[in-house]
Amino acid sequence: MTLLQSESRNPKRARRKDHIADLATLPVFFNLKGQKVVLAGSGDGAAWKAELLAAAGAQVHIYASAPEEEMTRLLAAAPTGDRCYVWHQQDWQPDDFKGAMLAVGEIEEAEEAERFLAAANSAGAMVNIIDNPAYCQFQFGSIVNRSPVVISISTDGAAPILGQAIRRRIESLIPPMMSEWANLAQRLRPAVMERFKPGAGRRRFWEAFVDIAFSGAHASPATGIDDIWADLGLDRSRTSGKVTFIDTWHGQGDLLPMRAIRALHSADIIVYGDETSCEILELARREARRLSINDAKSSLGETDKDTTDLLKKLVLSGKHVVRLISSVEHSGLELEQERASLARHSIETTLIPTIAKPAAGSNGSAPSTSGQSDKLPRHQATQRPARQQYM
């Protein structure tokens, strides 16, 4: 018999591994182009679901003997684009599900909901009963639409209002023109795959692309690969990677700027110290390698110079390295020396600033003692500032 040790007993080992946390539901996206979907219902909720399904390209077969105002308006309106509604002025029957991929019902009676679920499943269709999670095999989340970029938020039916609030927050972060950039990415993708080999070069191009996409500028349909490089003034001939320094003294993911989040999402390797919080490490892209300075001590030694040598080795292999460093643990002079050493080897470095540290002795920070070094002991440096409470 093989016994598996619980990672909760070994937090350092758990932090280095990148397991997927438990999911209430599995987020998936259905390709409904040209697919038959059955919708039974006549109220406002059914009308909204019908429009949503048609917007995704489904052929929506609506079963409503007496449609209400919103549904009547939807059926009476001239179809736009490829949206397709087929109105059956009658109640649903078991044979109606033949060939359907999905089935949606606006049904209040439990007995009818059970019959609807059984009949749809017998025909191979998955079911959603509006506002009745007990009979739902898939869910509709709150949607941020920047198609072809589509983001769906689910709270597993527990708090729809929370899902809507999250959607509004995400909408404020993603500019409306992201749709233009996503369409441009689709057009450029074949040429990018032909020009760049898999690895650092291709990733570097897409990182540049993303930086421009989030700048708020509109995408021109005529934009090409060379235009992306030119807009950022990048040296296309550079084959080495780069190092991005992120100050993580606060240890809180929600205090990182968007530039830091994007860097974590594009990193090949994350280099971190003991002061780095798990919360921030979890923001890195799943495929990124995580390298603890502590784990590498046997080959690196103890000095800052050794840490710099490690970064040089990683970067010269073409990797984008994100160095998570605390300005509480490391002085500004140490950080500049590390960057200057990399610059002498023509290695590109970027420092992403963080929020200012509270004044010594203020609430929520670990104060330094008068007369002592400005470098705090490790146990103080890892404390988090208190979160502001709002009434």
Side-chain angles (χ1 to χ4, degrees):
M1 179 184 296
T2 301
L3 297 178
L4 300 179
Q5 181 180 10
S6 171
E7 289 190 346
S8 62
R9 298 181 183 179
N10 192 339
K12 286 189 177 181
R13 176 172 294 179
R15 182 167 70 176
R16 290 195 298 272
K17 292 184 180 294
D18 193 27
H19 293 312
I20 299 175
D22 293 343
L23 293 169
T25 57
L26 179 67
V28 296
F29 292 86
F30 291 105
N31 182 353
L32 297 180
K33 296 291 189 297
Q35 297 291 332
K36 176 184 176 180
V37 174
V38 169
L39 187 142
S42 58
D44 292 353
W48 185 84
K49 293 295 194 295
E51 186 173 6
L52 184 65
L53 292 163
Q59 296 180 0
V60 186
H61 290 252
I62 300 172
Y63 291 83
S65 57
E68 297 179 13
E69 181 179 358
E70 194 62 33
M71 182 66 81
T72 299
R73 184 181 298 113
L74 179 69
L75 295 172
T80 59
D82 296 328
R83 301 189 185 191
C84 177
Y85 304 100
V86 181
W87 179 29
H88 304 265
Q89 196 172 358
Q90 63 186 47
D91 295 331
W92 68 273
Q93 299 295 327
D95 291 342
D96 297 330
F97 298 101
K98 184 177 180 180
M101 183 176 181
L102 303 177
V104 178
E106 188 180 47
I107 300 170
E108 296 182 359
E109 298 293 334
E111 181 181 352
E112 183 182 359
E114 291 176 0
R115 289 191 293 108
F116 187 92
L117 176 63
N121 285 171
S122 295
M126 296 186 66
V127 172
N128 174 280
I129 302 297
I130 299 173
D131 294 333
N132 199 334
Y135 298 99
C136 289
Q137 297 171 314
F138 69 94
Q139 300 172 352
F140 292 87
S142 294
I143 294 174
V144 178
N145 186 4
R146 301 288 189 270
S147 187
V149 175
V150 179
I151 302 169
S152 182
I153 304 105
S154 170
T155 60
D156 195 30
I161 296 298
L162 176 61
Q164 293 169 17
I166 294 171
R167 183 205 69 200
R168 291 192 295 270
R169 180 66 61 89
I170 293 175
E171 284 184 326
S172 69
L173 297 174
I174 301 180
M177 62 283 298
M178 189 58 65
S179 178
E180 301 172 8
W181 288 101
N183 283 312
L184 178 59
Q186 285 184 329
R187 183 176 66 79
L188 291 179
R189 186 174 182 83
V192 172
M193 295 182 69
E194 181 178 350
R195 180 180 296 194
F196 302 103
K197 295 180 179 180
R202 187 181 295 177
R203 177 173 296 280
R204 187 162 170 259
F205 170 81
W206 286 121
E207 287 176 13
F209 183 95
V210 169
D211 285 341
I212 300 176
F214 275 94
S215 70
H218 285 277
S220 169
T223 298
I225 294 176
D226 293 330
D227 299 319
I228 301 296
W229 292 121
D231 283 348
L232 292 182
L234 297 176
D235 179 9
R236 286 174 288 171
S237 64
R238 184 172 62 82
T239 58
S240 65
K242 63 180 181 180
V243 179
T244 301
F245 291 86
I246 303 177
D247 189 353
T248 60
W249 71 269
H250 45 72
Q252 297 178 196
D254 58 356
L255 294 183
L256 292 175
M258 285 303 300
R259 285 183 62 201
I261 300 295
R262 293 203 298 271
L264 286 167
H265 288 178
S266 66
D268 295 303
I269 302 174
I270 309 293
V271 177
Y272 64 94
D274 284 344
E275 72 275 6
T276 305
S277 71
C278 295
E279 180 178 335
I280 289 178
L281 279 176
E282 289 171 357
L283 293 174
R285 74 186 186 99
R286 195 162 301 280
E287 297 83 359
R289 176 187 174 196
R290 287 143 175 82
L291 181 59
S292 166
I293 291 296
N294 221 26
D295 291 344
K297 278 185 177 179
S298 59
S299 59
L300 292 176
E302 300 284 346
T303 68
D304 289 332
K305 182 177 182 298
D306 290 324
T307 301
T308 305
D309 288 341
L310 169 68
L311 296 177
K312 292 176 190 173
K313 180 179 178 181
L314 297 174
V315 170
L316 291 175
S317 66
K319 304 297 185 182
H320 176 197
V321 180
V322 168
R323 172 76 163 103
L324 301 178
I325 189 168
S326 168
S327 59
V328 173
E329 285 280 314
H330 301 266
S331 69
L333 178 60
E334 292 173 324
L335 177 58
E336 286 307 314
Q337 288 175 340
E338 195 166 327
R339 293 186 67 193
S341 177
L342 295 170
R344 284 194 293 273
H345 290 78
S346 301
I347 295 173
E348 177 186 336
T349 66
T350 302
L351 173 62
I352 299 179
T354 184
I355 62 170
K357 293 187 292 295
S362 65
N363 183 34
S365 67
S368 59
T369 305
S370 177
Q372 294 183 349
S373 168
D374 62 352
K375 196 171 181 179
L376 297 177
R378 187 176 301 279
H379 72 277
Q380 291 184 354
T382 55
Q383 291 179 353
R384 295 185 178 185
R387 294 182 184 270
Q388 182 72 39
Q389 299 295 318
Y390 297 94
M391 301 301 292

